[in-house]
Amino acid sequence: MPRVPFHYVDLRAFCYETEDEKRVEEALRTFLPDDFEIDRMESTGHHGDRIVVFSARAERADDIRHILAKIRELPDFEELLDELDDRVTENTEFFLRLDKQAAFKGEARRGGGLTLRAKVEAYPAKKEAAVENAREALLGDE
């Protein structure tokens, strides 16, 4: 199996007071392997409202492959590949926002509510190398 050129992939979702925690956690789980550990942290918003932050970090290659396979299901996946130069930073980080409502339904779509941040391996640590490595990883076995 080919190596995965990511050090880690972080997924995060905020659950606001008007949302159901179980549903937000389930939305995040759409992108994670079964029984993956999700961290839960409570915070307070600007107006004193309760916010629960759900987060998960995948560091194992198989877990990262699982997440990437779900990203490949995006209806506009080809557009995402075209945007990689804008989505990978000079610090070799890849960012993507995903639709929380669609994720709750088990679907992968871009939108708001879920944040994906991945640290791309690149030697030397240059944006151009990171973009190519991210492209290669996202394409997978295609």
Side-chain angles (χ1 to χ4, degrees), residues 5 10 22 24 30 56 101 103 107-108 114 116 131-132 142:
D10 287 334
K22 285 184 172 57
V24 173
T30 294
Q101 291 296 324
E107 301 168 11
L114 302 178
L116 180 147
V131 168
E132 274 314 301
E142 291 181 5

Side-chain angles (χ1 to χ4, degrees), residues 1 51 62 83 97 100 116 122 126 136 142:
M1 201 167 272
I51 299 172
D62 286 345
E83 298 169 1
R97 295 193 51 193
K100 187 173 12 176
L116 180 147
K126 301 275 187 211
E136 177 184 306
E142 291 181 5

